[in-house]
């Protein structure tokens, strides 16, 4: 009798425990037996341990812990919203990290050349490096200013303080049905700021869906014409839905916005030397997603060849973006991976091939002034020789975001 009671008690406890497990984390027995021995998330972790352990060295253990922990969001404020979103957030202890930035600091410039003659001053620069056949010159010259970065005063993104992992509530519509804010990784706003969109610019967003960065670009309210493209038709629908949930229809006319679903890598064949600014936010191994979600995971064994082809696709997209920009125009390459093969190597190859195959000379624009401004909000990789990267950190769990900006000289 006592044994029966004990068994019943035990069964009840097991049932109670089951209720504590969120539904999405429960696994049905019959599925558990057919589950992959190595789920994609484990394969991703193995792969990252092997590569980032080497590439990031002693930074990797803390980045790893952060990547496996809950990520932090920012709320991109919608200027078209009728309401006091910023004041409401400030009352909750949030701050707009863009206006609350570090404004003092040094000025740098950084040039990558592809066989172009360089000035005496450039050739004197110490620290010349050779990598993948592209000659790199990195300089750190105080007091010299190469077109300073003008941050749009209209992009606002609020975050909770460092170490505070409070979640944002879902945005609610105003009287016109527009939402007050868009939740995204706050570090994803940096490529949009770095793109430095000016009044009257025409902008191409080559891989735009689901549209977080497109929306941030539109918040500048200075774009004359925006073309938002994504190869995926379903994701382009999502992008359109996002834009219509935030921007009044009178600003989304055919004269100001074009949404397309082309293969971006072929853009150079369609439209060359056209845009003042081009954002190339490429598909990548999306490291955080790959470590935390088995669904739609690029480390799924069935997607191995797709994953291996990523650097080539990224290179083709960046080259197409470079061709789409006008001479003097600027191109921002970004990813959400820590991988050097998908980041620096792609940029190095693109710079070289743009010169060799298309006669386009490029300059790498120094983004250190930007990282300097936002160093109290994000953790950046120190001493990256090409581009800048936000690395996840437990106290500021944003990123990873890699970005590199190129300027067309010809
Ligand atoms: C990192 S996501 C872009 C995120 C987006 N910029 C944002 O901020 O919401 C990469 C996108 O590239 C798209 N893509 C993949 N291959 C492409 C191609 N060949 N041409 C254009 N877009 C492509 C994917 O459909 C995906 O939506």
């Amino acid at each position: 009798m006592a044994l029966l009671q004990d068994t019943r008690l035990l069964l009840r406890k097991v049932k109670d425990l089951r209720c504590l497990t969120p539904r999405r984390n429960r696994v049905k027995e019959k599925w558990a037996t057919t589950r992959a021995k190595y789920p994609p998330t484990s394969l991703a972790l193995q792969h990252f341990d092997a590569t980032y352990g080497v590439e990031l060295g002693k930074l990797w253990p803390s980045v790893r812990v952060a990547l496996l922990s809950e990520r932090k969001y920012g709320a991109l404020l919608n200027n078209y919203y009728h309401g006091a979103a910023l004041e409401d957030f400030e009352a909750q202890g949030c701050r707009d990290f863009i206006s609350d930035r570090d404004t003092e600091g040094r000025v740098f410039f950084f040039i990558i050349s592809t066989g172009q003659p360089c000035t005496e001053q450039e050739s004197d620069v110490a620290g010349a490096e050779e990598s993948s056949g592209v000659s790199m010159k990195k300089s750190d010259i105080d007091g010299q200013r190469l077109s300073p970065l003008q941050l749009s005063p209209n992009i606002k993104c609020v975050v909770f303080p460092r170490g505070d992992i409070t979640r944002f509530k879902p945005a609610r519509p105003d009287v016109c049905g527009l939402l007050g804010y868009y939740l995204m990784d706050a570090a994803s706003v940096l490529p949009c700021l770095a793109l430095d969109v000016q009044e009257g610019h025409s902008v191409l967003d080559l891989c735009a869906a689901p549209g977080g960065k497109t929306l941030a670009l539109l918040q500048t309210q200075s774009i004359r014409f925006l073309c938002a493209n994504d190869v995926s038709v379903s994701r382009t629908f999502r992008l359109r839905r996002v834009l219509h949930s935030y921007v009044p229809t009178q600003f989304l006319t055919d004269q100001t916005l074009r949404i397309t679903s082309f293969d971006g890598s072929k853009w150079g064949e369609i439209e060359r030397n056209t845009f003042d600014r081009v954002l190339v936010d490429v598909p990548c191994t999306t490291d955080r997603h790959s470590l935390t979600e088995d669904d739609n995971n690029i480390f799924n064994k069935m997607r191995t060849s797709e994953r291996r082809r990523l650097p080539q696709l990224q290179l083709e997209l960046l080259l197409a973006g470079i061709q789409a920009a006008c001479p003097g125009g600027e191109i921002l390459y970004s990813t959400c991976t820590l991988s050097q093969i998908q980041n620096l190597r792609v940029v190095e190859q693109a710079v070289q091939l743009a010169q060799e195959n298309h006669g386009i000379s490029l300059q790498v624009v120094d983004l250190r002034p930007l990282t300097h401004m936002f160093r109290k909000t994000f953790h950046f990789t120190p001493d990256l020789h090409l581009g800048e990267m936000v690395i996840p950190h437990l106290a500021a769990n944003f990123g990873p975001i890699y970005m590199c900006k190129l300027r067309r000289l010809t």
Side-chain angles (χ1 to χ4, degrees), residues 40-53:
T41 44
S42 309
L43 294 175
L45 188 57
Q46 272 175 30
H47 180 87
F48 294 160
D49 278 334
T51 48
Y52 302 155

Side-chain angles (χ1 to χ4, degrees), residues 48-49 52-53 56-65 67 338:
F48 294 160
D49 278 334
Y52 302 155
L56 292 178
K58 58 182 187 325
L59 287 176
W60 173 234
S62 63
V63 172
R64 185 185 197 269
V65 170
L67 272 175
L338 298 161

Side-chain angles (χ1 to χ4, degrees), residues 105-109 139-145:
R106 297 181 299 168
V107 180
F108 311 94
F109 74 83
S139 59
D140 182 346
I141 302 174
D142 291 324
Q144 304 237 9
R145 188 175 280 269

Side-chain angles (χ1 to χ4, degrees), residues 182 184 188 192 205-215 229-233 235-236 239 261-267 279-284 286 310 313 316-317 334-336:
Y182 182 88
M184 63 198 289
S188 294
C192 306
D205 189 352
L206 197 59
C207 308
K213 295 188 189 71
T214 320
L215 192 59
N229 176 70
D230 198 285
V231 73
S232 157
V233 175
R235 284 172 71 87
T236 315
L239 163 78
S261 292
F262 294 132
D263 175 354
S265 64
K266 306 274 186 294
W267 203 278
L279 179 61
V280 187
D281 186 36
V282 294
C284 66
T286 52
L310 275 175
L313 173 62
E316 288 170 15
L317 286 164
S334 60
T335 74
C336 52

Side-chain angles (χ1 to χ4, degrees), residues 120-153:
E120 215 177 273
Q121 188 186 43
E122 288 163 8
S123 65
D124 280 348
V125 166
E129 297 171 47
E130 280 294 330
S131 178
S132 304
V134 176
S135 101
M136 314 268 259
K137 299 183 186 70
K138 191 168 192 179
S139 59
D140 182 346
I141 302 174
D142 291 324
Q144 304 237 9
R145 188 175 280 269
L146 273 189
S147 55
L149 208 65
Q150 311 261 308
L151 296 191
S152 166

Side-chain angles (χ1 to χ4, degrees), residues 222-281:
S222 46
I223 296 178
R224 174 175 50 81
F225 180 73
L226 174 71
C227 181
N229 176 70
D230 198 285
V231 73
S232 157
V233 175
S234 60
R235 284 172 71 87
T236 315
F237 275 123
R238 205 168 137 204
L239 163 78
R240 195 180 289 276
R241 239 189 358 257
V242 167
L243 297 189
H244 281 273
S245 307
Y246 288 86
V247 184
T249 27
Q250 68 262 34
F251 297 110
L252 301 175
T253 63
D254 292 348
Q255 280 73 48
T256 55
L257 175 74
R258 190 168 82 203
I259 298 180
T260 53
S261 292
F262 294 132
D263 175 354
S265 64
K266 306 274 186 294
W267 203 278
E269 294 166 21
I270 316 171
E271 209 168 25
R272 283 189 216 145
N273 307 330
T274 306
F275 295 93
D276 300 296
R277 296 287 184 267
V278 181
L279 179 61
V280 187
D281 186 36

